[in-house]
Amino acid sequence: MKLIAPSILSADGSRLGEEITAIEKAGADWIHIDVMDGTFVPNITMGPAIISSLRKVTKLPFDVHLMIADPDRYVESFFKAGADIITVHVEASTHLHRTVELIKSFGAKAGVSLNPATSLDQIAEIIHYIDLLLIMTVNPGFGGQQFIGTSLAKIARAKKMLVTMPHQPLLEVDGGVNLKNIGDIAQAGADVIVAGAAVFGSEDYPKTITALKTNANSTLA
Ligand code: DX5
Ligand code: ZN
């Protein structure tokens, strides 16, 4: 079964707790939380204090996607705020192995993310140490962008690399996912699929999340 991780970037910011409760009831598997610092990406979102408050409203895994420069500085804060999975960008960490080991030292799952223009070659060494690989299928910074078409082949190539690993890291896909393309993304090998605008821009969360899951799982043999 493919997992659906709605991104609260596109939720109503004045009612984040209620929005999380609503998507949990609607069948969300993980809560995807986009952290942006205005340096690594041209946008600013939320930090550990808000995540810590949100931690009280659900037990679903918090999948924290750090789009911040030099992420080592904040790993402990995000772990203490309640992150279950902490994902950093290969483009943002100078000593990526150290960052990944730091995340795992707290007991969190460690993810590594690649921007659309970053080659899979960049994870050749770190793949042995990660719990999750996050492939960005838009340029990070904003919700509601269009899926970059050539990403499908990249997802398939990433899956081929991951399945050779004895510890089977998960493959997550983030950006521009909708009801139409989620089947292809799932078939290409994604295990966890992020959806922001597709969920929070819809009228009926249960209907949308059910349809995303149906389309993601219908292509499976
Ligand atoms: C983009 C974020 C994504 C984004 C996804 O920088 O990492 O998680 O919120 O939003 P949609 O699904 O609307 O592209
Ligand atoms: Zn994200």
Side-chain angles (χ1 to χ4, degrees), residues 5-10 32-36 41 43 65 67 89 113 134 136-147 173-178 194-199:
S7 160
I8 60 169
L9 184 63
S10 296
H32 186 82
I33 302 177
D34 289 306
V35 175
M36 306 185 188
V41 288
N43 196 3
H65 178 191
M67 285 159 278
H89 270 260
S113 182
L134 172 57
M136 286 307 301
T137 47
V138 298
N139 288 297
F142 304 94
Q145 302 181 82
Q146 209 184 344
F147 183 88
V173 170
D174 184 9
V177 173
N178 57 42
V194 177
V199 171

Side-chain angles (χ1 to χ4, degrees), residues 155-183:
I155 296 165
R157 287 198 309 274
K159 186 64 177 184
K160 274 193 180 157
M161 291 171 75
L162 294 173
V163 295
T164 66
M165 291 291 124
H167 66 300
Q168 299 281 296
L170 290 172
L171 179 55
E172 183 172 24
V173 170
D174 184 9
V177 173
N178 57 42
L179 284 166
K180 285 198 184 119
N181 61 19
I182 195 168

Side-chain angles (χ1 to χ4, degrees), residues 107-205:
K109 300 283 184 205
V112 153
S113 182
L114 297 177
N115 281 335
T118 305
S119 166
L120 284 166
D121 297 344
Q122 295 290 315
I123 58 149
E125 301 303 325
I126 201 66
I127 192 171
H128 299 278
Y129 303 94
I130 60 177
D131 298 301
L132 176 145
L133 173 65
L134 172 57
I135 300 283
M136 286 307 301
T137 47
V138 298
N139 288 297
F142 304 94
Q145 302 181 82
Q146 209 184 344
F147 183 88
I148 296 172
T150 48
S151 308
L152 269 184
K154 188 179 185 183
I155 296 165
R157 287 198 309 274
K159 186 64 177 184
K160 274 193 180 157
M161 291 171 75
L162 294 173
V163 295
T164 66
M165 291 291 124
H167 66 300
Q168 299 281 296
L170 290 172
L171 179 55
E172 183 172 24
V173 170
D174 184 9
V177 173
N178 57 42
L179 284 166
K180 285 198 184 119
N181 61 19
I182 195 168
D184 290 339
I185 291 164
Q187 199 164 33
D191 303 301
V192 186
I193 303 169
V194 177
V199 171
F200 289 103
S202 76
E203 294 291 322
D204 186 332
Y205 299 168

